[in-house]
Amino acid sequence: MTIEHQSTESGSILHRLNPSLKLAGLIIITTGILIYPSWRFSGLLLFLIILGFMISNVPLDMSKRRIRFLVVFSALLFAFQVLMTANGTILFFIIPKYSSMGPFLPVTDFGVEKGFGMSLRFLLVVFSSMLFVSVTDPTLLAHSFTRFRIPYRYSFALVIALRFLPLFDMENKTVRMAQRSRGISISVRGMSRILRTIRYTFFPLLISALSRVDALSLSMDGRGFGHSRTRTYLRKSSWNALDSAVLVLLSALLLASILLTLGFLPQVSAII
Amino acid sequence: MLEVHDVSFSYDNEKLILDAVNLQVRRGEITVITGPTGSGKSTLALVLAGFIPRTIEGTFTGSLLIDGENAENSPISEIAHKVALVQQDPESQISTLLVSDEVAFGPENYSVMPSEIQKRVNVSLNAVGSLHLANRPTYALSGGEKQRVTIASMLAGEPDFLLLDEPSASLDPKGIQQLQKVLLGFKNSGYGILCIEHRLATILPIADRVLRLSKGKISKWSGKTNSARTTPAEHFRRPDSVEPLLVAKGVSYSYGNISAVRDVALSVYPGEIVALMGNNGSGKSTLINLLAGLLHSTVGITYLDGVPSNEMTAQDVAARVAVVFQNPNHQIFERTVQREQHLVFDILESLGEIPSERPDEVLLAAGLAELKERNPFSLSHGQKRRLNVSSVTVHEPLVYLFDEPFIGQDEIGRNFITQTIRKRGKSGGAAILVTHDSAVATSLCSRIIFMERGSVLLDGPPKIVLSRLNEIGYSEYADLGATS
């Protein structure tokens, strides 16, 4: 999570949607593709999420290392599934028959479908979460939770987590530099080196995080956090006609996923 | 009046941090408390703010009185209504993502009406000269801006007393002057202010009284400062035909679209001690990391002892350079002080002839010899910083690159770090230290490199650079240096 993945602006339609509704949307999309793991369905939803990035002017920069890593990782997931799935009609062999040798590593239609399904689901979960964080104002999200009678102590845990994500990201980079300055190379060769790498990374990060937690809790207590069971809000989330319309669409999506899973929509499931 | 009577406190029921302390903080007055690291200054602030004994465990005796009333049975939220504490690190105290949300946070918790909260947000931000920041994300603020927003967020609760723990620690001279102005304004508005400071020069011009806390006891400050820092730096003469230890050729570096270092060219020769100065965000820390080979420049190249930095392994870097980062926690890796001190010998196999007693000697000089078996993370901030310095310099690499090493250091810590740097210069190495303190630059360094918006603005002997800074609108560097 980088700094630019967080937003407190209210520009696009997605920014203006009710924060709880956006969270519900994230949960519904994730649940939908888990219960109905069709690659076409995942691909359609991924297309809508990428459209969401464009509508809300949130950059999805493929040149960034982290985004590149996600795409490469999803490609690896695809390749792994294709290689590991032997069921289905064989399309071709990766290593064709040569003389009396082979052929080896068959690629089947079922394997390709499974691979697509896995990698698209992975991208969908990650990208939809990134979009949610990018277009959701944590303070307004905390306020919207109060409408569901969720105590503000819990909803603020989320606000604080989002507030500290960029900071921990920066600290992680600093610790990496500090390791290099002491001659410590990240190594995963052998259990003792793995353990040492983990220790040399997590000790400083953990201690730094804990010291910040202490300071933060004093700062919050020192400003009356928890003084009473309710609190007021300078900025409040709102619910309007657009939110209602999106709620209807999301409910329809959830219902469709359930019906598709149960096999009640055979014509539709033949397409997606 | 805010007062403590006969306050004693121990965290572990063994060592007494505060020993029968009596103190009064009056409205319309700025009281400053100074004293060595670990003398209990921050603990006293926690007592005055009511956190001890309410949320922090330990053995406490004594009483806290606010306007004559004993606060023994008051909950922390009630005390916080009257007494606000601004802790050392502003970054850790910010709990929301928007400046106006942060300032509104306190009043919201006390269920103040939104219209009144808005009024308080404006008044508080205005009081610290930061109304223009209201709609800015908190993570995008500079260190000085974060400090002022933190103060504003405390003011919004409309307290009577403001306690500030090392408020100038990470501020550049301009930020310090703004802070002085802000605190004077509060004092004139009737706030009672208590400041904890190591760098007395930053707060002395506006202080009404200065007290010293040492070994748990409070006394009047004698006004004496350590003479080690006032010794002028020896004039540096570069020997002929000597190759530089550090070279930067047209170096630039960007974080995404934000350019941090632009086209920097410099050489540092054996024997040189260089002060790297400039306002917060001018690119000093990034340049240090580039010179150390910890970041690779987007344009240009850096050389460390003749070797291109981007070709060096981690071991090559550690063998040649000692880097001290701003936050001591980021570079402590081992479970005991002794193991931390020996870490470099475990990692670097060919370090040449280093006497076996040297690690212990350096620990002794750092005042950490008795803490060898302690977990380094349990040390005080000042002790951790000294451990950082001793553990990265124990094998005497050629170049020392220290990023604000004096923050939070008392006289002992300052002397240890100063001597370590001086020794490196005298024995044919070189050092660059990032500092905002012109007094350090003139007394310890033979050269100042001053950065502005990622570029080198001035480079030369300290007196000439400071005098030039005075002429081009950076007079605060010379002013604050003069009073140190």
Side-chain angles (χ1 to χ4, degrees):
Chain A
M1 187 69 55
T2 50
I3 289 171
E4 62 265 39
H5 285 148
Q6 293 199 340
S7 173
T8 52
E9 292 166 19
S10 53
S12 71
I13 290 176
L14 284 180
H15 281 95
R16 288 197 301 271
L17 285 179
N18 185 281
S20 290
L21 180 69
K22 284 184 266 192
L23 182 63
L26 179 67
I27 294 168
I28 287 172
I29 286 172
T30 313
T31 311
I33 55 157
L34 283 178
I35 62 170
Y36 187 67
S38 145
W39 72 271
R40 292 186 195 89
F41 186 50
S42 301
L44 178 70
L45 291 177
L46 183 61
F47 172 74
L48 292 175
I49 291 296
I50 290 170
L51 209 63
F53 272 93
M54 289 162 75
I55 290 169
S56 52
N57 280 328
V58 177
L60 192 59
D61 192 348
M62 299 304 277
S63 66
K64 287 231 166 87
R65 246 172 61 184
R66 210 162 301 194
I67 303 288
R68 263 205 325 257
F69 169 78
L70 292 172
V71 174
V72 170
F73 189 74
S74 72
L76 286 175
L77 276 178
F78 173 77
F80 185 76
Q81 285 297 324
V82 167
L83 291 175
M84 289 297 141
T85 310
N87 312 7
T89 310
I90 294 173
L91 300 174
F92 62 91
F93 288 91
I94 290 177
I95 300 172
K97 186 176 169 63
Y98 181 74
S99 160
S100 60
M101 299 273 284
F104 299 114
L105 302 175
V107 174
T108 66
D109 59 350
F110 183 62
V112 170
E113 263 190 36
K114 215 173 149 190
F116 267 131
M118 183 64 85
S119 62
L120 288 174
R121 259 182 291 160
F122 167 74
L123 286 179
L124 183 61
V125 169
V126 176
F127 284 176
S128 55
S129 304
M130 278 168 63
L131 183 63
F132 170 74
V133 172
S134 302
V135 298
T136 306
D137 183 325
T139 306
L140 294 183
L141 180 64
H143 175 259
S144 70
F145 282 167
T146 60
R147 291 173 186 268
F148 302 104
R149 299 191 180 278
I150 296 173
Y152 71 86
R153 277 179 169 277
Y154 300 117
S155 54
F156 258 86
L158 191 67
V159 176
I160 287 155
L162 291 172
R163 144 83 184 100
F164 276 85
L165 272 179
L167 186 64
F168 290 146
D169 188 39
M170 279 191 278
E171 295 214 322
N172 185 34
K173 285 176 188 156
T174 309
V175 169
R176 297 262 180 240
M177 284 198 287
Q179 287 172 338
R180 184 170 157 80
S181 77
R182 300 293 298 276
I184 300 167
S185 315
I186 300 300
S187 175
V188 288
R189 270 183 273 164
M191 190 47 79
S192 67
R193 287 192 176 200
I194 292 174
L195 289 175
R196 198 185 74 164
T197 298
I198 291 172
R199 201 175 76 224
Y200 286 169
T201 304
F202 285 102
F203 268 20
L205 279 177
L206 190 68
I207 295 298
S208 182
L210 289 177
S211 70
R212 290 193 191 282
V213 166
D214 282 346
L216 182 70
S217 85
L218 286 185
S219 162
M220 291 174 76
D221 287 349
R223 286 181 288 165
F225 191 72
H227 175 67
S228 59
R229 283 178 58 204
T230 56
R231 73 198 290 275
T232 50
Y233 290 82
L234 177 60
R235 293 189 302 126
K236 293 177 183 170
S237 62
S238 58
W239 187 275
N240 55 39
L242 181 67
D243 294 309
S244 303
V246 173
L247 181 63
V248 170
L249 284 175
L250 286 171
S251 306
L253 178 69
L254 181 65
L255 186 66
S257 314
I258 295 168
L259 293 177
L260 283 166
T261 310
L262 297 174
F264 289 139
L265 297 172
Q267 288 98 336
V268 181
S269 70
I271 304 167
I272 58 168
Chain B
M1 193 190 306
L2 175 68
E3 41 193 326
V4 286
H5 283 309
D6 279 329
V7 162
S8 297
F9 183 73
S10 167
Y11 286 102
D12 56 8
N13 211 9
E14 286 176 12
K15 190 183 173 194
L16 215 50
I17 304 294
L18 298 174
D19 185 5
V21 168
N22 289 294
L23 175 69
Q24 296 177 332
V25 181
R26 301 180 195 99
R27 283 188 173 82
E29 192 176 88
I30 296 177
T31 305
V32 177
I33 295 191
T34 188
T37 303
S39 61
K41 302 184 296 296
S42 298
T43 304
L44 179 58
L46 292 170
V47 171
L48 284 162
F51 291 112
I52 292 176
R54 285 160 193 81
T55 56
I56 294 171
E57 286 180 12
T59 313
F60 174 84
T61 56
S63 51
L64 170 71
L65 283 83
I66 304 172
D67 292 330
E69 279 183 33
N70 196 324
E72 192 181 356
N73 297 319
S74 307
I76 194 71
S77 58
E78 236 170 68
I79 296 172
H81 236 334
K82 294 185 174 173
V83 186
L85 170 65
V86 181
Q87 300 168 77
Q88 274 182 35
D89 175 18
E91 179 77 78
S92 306
Q93 297 166 71
I94 294 174
S95 46
T96 62
L97 282 140
L98 194 69
V99 168
S100 55
D101 285 350
E102 187 61 24
V103 181
F105 184 80
E108 285 174 339
N109 291 329
Y110 289 109
S111 300
V112 175
M113 294 308 289
S115 56
E116 171 63 17
I117 295 175
Q118 187 61 62
K119 223 183 280 173
R120 289 196 197 182
V121 168
N122 293 342
V123 168
S124 305
L125 282 173
N126 201 29
V128 295
S130 303
L131 194 54
H132 62 288
L133 302 176
N135 293 316
R136 287 259 297 271
T138 49
Y139 54 78
L141 302 176
S142 72
E145 287 169 342
K146 279 180 186 152
Q147 180 72 269
R148 277 178 278 151
V149 167
T150 310
I151 294 173
S153 75
M154 293 300 174
L155 287 183
E158 300 191 332
D160 296 325
F161 301 94
L162 196 57
L163 317 174
L164 300 109
D165 196 350
E166 300 227 26
S168 74
S170 51
L171 297 184
D172 56 31
K174 196 171 189 172
I176 290 169
Q177 284 192 340
Q178 283 171 338
L179 178 74
Q180 289 176 353
K181 213 186 279 178
V182 166
L183 293 183
L184 265 182
F186 292 164
K187 173 190 154 178
N188 294 334
S189 306
Y191 283 95
I193 298 165
L194 179 92
C195 267
I196 290 167
E197 267 297 346
H198 274 129
R199 290 170 70 191
L200 272 182
T202 62
I203 205 80
L204 216 47
I206 58 165
D208 291 299
R209 60 187 178 128
V210 182
L211 303 169
R212 180 178 158 83
L213 188 63
S214 182
K215 293 176 183 165
K217 296 272 188 192
I218 216 156
S219 59
K220 212 175 162 194
W221 180 60
S222 65
K224 284 179 193 161
T225 52
N226 190 298
S227 59
R229 295 175 60 212
T230 57
T231 314
E234 288 169 25
H235 183 63
F236 173 74
R237 282 192 189 84
R238 183 191 311 159
D240 294 333
S241 68
V242 168
E243 293 297 316
L245 288 175
L246 278 173
V247 175
K249 285 185 179 173
V251 167
S252 299
Y253 189 84
S254 303
Y255 296 99
N257 298 326
I258 301 162
S259 175
V261 168
R262 298 175 203 196
D263 197 23
V264 168
L266 59 88
S267 298
V268 178
Y269 289 84
E272 275 194 303
I273 300 175
V274 181
L276 188 58
M277 302 182 83
N279 285 347
N280 290 126
S282 58
K284 303 182 296 293
S285 299
T286 305
L287 182 59
I288 287 285
N289 292 331
L290 287 166
L291 290 171
L294 305 178
L295 287 176
H296 297 318
S297 52
T298 38
V299 179
I301 189 161
T302 56
Y303 294 89
L304 196 53
D305 194 22
V307 182
S309 306
N310 55 5
E311 290 176 13
M312 288 196 291
T313 62
Q315 282 84 356
D316 293 336
V317 170
R320 288 174 171 80
V321 65
V323 187
V324 169
F325 293 83
Q326 280 186 19
N327 184 340
N329 287 327
H330 289 151
Q331 60 183 132
I332 293 177
F333 300 103
E334 279 295 352
R335 280 169 286 189
T336 65
V337 168
Q338 186 157 34
R339 287 179 69 140
E340 182 70 20
Q341 183 74 348
H342 282 83
L343 178 65
V344 72
F345 299 103
D346 298 339
I347 288 171
L348 303 182
E349 284 142 16
S350 53
L351 271 177
E353 291 291 308
I354 291 177
S356 59
E357 63 275 12
R358 181 162 163 76
D360 287 341
E361 280 175 7
V362 180
L363 269 188
L364 188 69
L368 301 170
E370 290 174 6
L371 307 170
K372 272 199 294 197
E373 296 309 319
R374 279 267 295 272
N375 185 320
F377 290 115
S378 70
L379 303 179
S380 73
H381 182 277
Q383 289 167 333
K384 279 182 198 167
R385 171 57 88 218
R386 275 182 272 154
L387 177 61
N388 290 157
V389 172
S390 72
S391 61
V392 298
T393 60
V394 64
H395 59 301
E396 293 189 314
L398 273 173
V399 178
Y400 292 178
L401 300 171
F402 292 0
D403 196 349
E404 306 218 30
F406 297 112
I407 286 183
Q409 290 298 313
D410 57 13
E411 285 175 14
I412 298 169
R414 277 177 172 270
N415 286 341
F416 167 67
I417 297 168
T418 303
Q419 291 311 320
T420 305
I421 295 170
R422 273 214 176 106
K423 254 166 80 181
R424 184 63 292 190
K426 279 184 179 161
S427 57
I432 299 182
L433 63 144
V434 174
T435 181
H436 288 132
D437 193 335
S438 308
V440 167
T442 49
S443 66
L444 180 62
C445 305
S446 51
R447 174 179 167 193
I448 292 179
I449 295 175
F450 190 88
M451 293 189 72
E452 185 185 66
R453 292 188 200 129
S455 303
V456 173
L457 181 67
L458 297 168
D459 184 352
K463 275 190 181 168
I464 295 172
V465 170
L466 288 175
S467 139
R468 186 81 188 104
L469 283 173
N470 206 17
E471 290 165 13
I472 60 172
Y474 286 103
S475 57
E476 61 275 10
Y477 280 84
D479 294 346
L480 283 170
T483 54
S484 288

